[in-house]
Amino acid sequence: MTSPPILRTATLDDLDAITDIHTRARVEYYRAGGLRESELTSVEARASRRQAWRRAIEADDRAVSCAVRDGEVTGVVSMGPPADADVDPTTVGQLFQIHVRPGSWGAGIGSRLHERFVRLLREGSLSVGVLEAWERNSRAQAFYAHRGWRPDGHRRPGPRDADYVRLRLRLRLDLESQSPRRASDS
């Protein structure tokens, strides 16, 4: 039997594993949306992705956590203040990325990483989460919808004439515990 994933803060020692997971996950969802694998796995694309993860891990305003199962990094989540100027950073946190190693999908790793994001919203006294998802990534769309995320009408151009859509997760304050809960939990 496989052990449950352990969540921990990512370090630079995790950089190659994180880059690999991100690359493999992107190949799966973008290929399903019509992109060629070679566009996603080139040496340049991988180097750019690795550098972006390095910046995220080293950033003071970002939190990057890994899911580790049986000693292997199997997932990653990155979160921080919102990137868009029309989003209030005093009430909103952004989920930049969740990636789980293909082959480990459906094993609860993404759910644990999502729970980590929601916990960090609560700890930061933030009432809203935002994220962007490629509209052709139906797997991600379903994952987030199941957890209460809803489109907020904001879109930006993405690859293959498919937009990135912004989703919001609204938390409500539970008056008994004084902690935010997902609005969909009621």
Side-chain angles (χ1 to χ4, degrees):
M1 181 172 172
T2 306
S3 63
I6 296 167
L7 299 185
R8 64 167 172 74
T9 300
T11 69
L12 290 178
D13 290 338
D14 300 314
L15 198 51
D16 288 327
I18 290 170
T19 303
D20 180 56
I21 289 167
H22 186 179
T23 300
R24 291 176 60 192
R26 284 176 63 96
V27 165
E28 291 299 318
Y29 64 78
Y30 279 127
R31 185 174 52 201
L35 268 72
R36 292 187 312 273
E37 185 170 337
S38 60
E39 295 176 67
L40 304 165
T41 60
S42 72
V43 172
E44 297 82 14
R46 182 174 172 78
S48 174
R49 206 169 293 122
R50 188 176 193 280
Q51 186 58 32
W53 279 109
R54 174 183 286 279
R55 285 190 306 271
I57 290 169
E58 292 177 332
D60 291 334
D61 65 346
R62 286 276 186 101
V64 180
S65 297
C66 292
V68 179
R69 178 177 273 168
D70 298 328
E72 180 181 2
V73 176
T74 56
V76 62
V77 60
S78 172
M79 60 212 97
D84 294 328
D86 68 326
V87 179
D88 180 1
T90 65
T91 60
V92 180
Q94 182 152 349
L95 173 57
F96 289 104
Q97 302 184 63
I98 288 182
H99 296 290
V100 175
R101 181 179 307 281
S104 296
W105 290 353
I109 296 167
S111 294
R112 292 284 312 275
L113 294 167
H114 184 268
E115 289 167 5
R116 172 78 128 214
F117 170 74
V118 170
R119 191 181 89 237
L120 288 174
L121 283 178
R122 289 179 178 139
E123 288 173 0
S125 298
L126 301 172
S127 60
V128 177
V130 294
L131 65 82
E132 284 188 332
W134 191 43
E135 67 183 343
R136 290 189 187 165
N137 187 347
S138 58
R139 182 180 199 92
Q141 298 276 347
F143 176 87
Y144 293 118
H146 180 73
R147 286 157 182 80
W149 294 82
R150 302 292 178 254
D152 73 357
H154 183 269
R155 303 171 78 83
R156 71 177 175 89
R160 295 285 191 249
D161 297 322
D163 288 342
Y164 290 103
V165 295
R166 189 168 64 197
L167 307 175
R168 285 185 186 254
L169 176 67
R170 297 190 185 280
L171 303 179
R172 65 174 175 79
L173 187 60
D174 181 349
L175 296 177
E176 288 182 25
S177 67
Q178 293 298 305
S179 65
R181 298 173 50 109
R182 285 195 340 241
S184 61
D185 286 347
S186 51

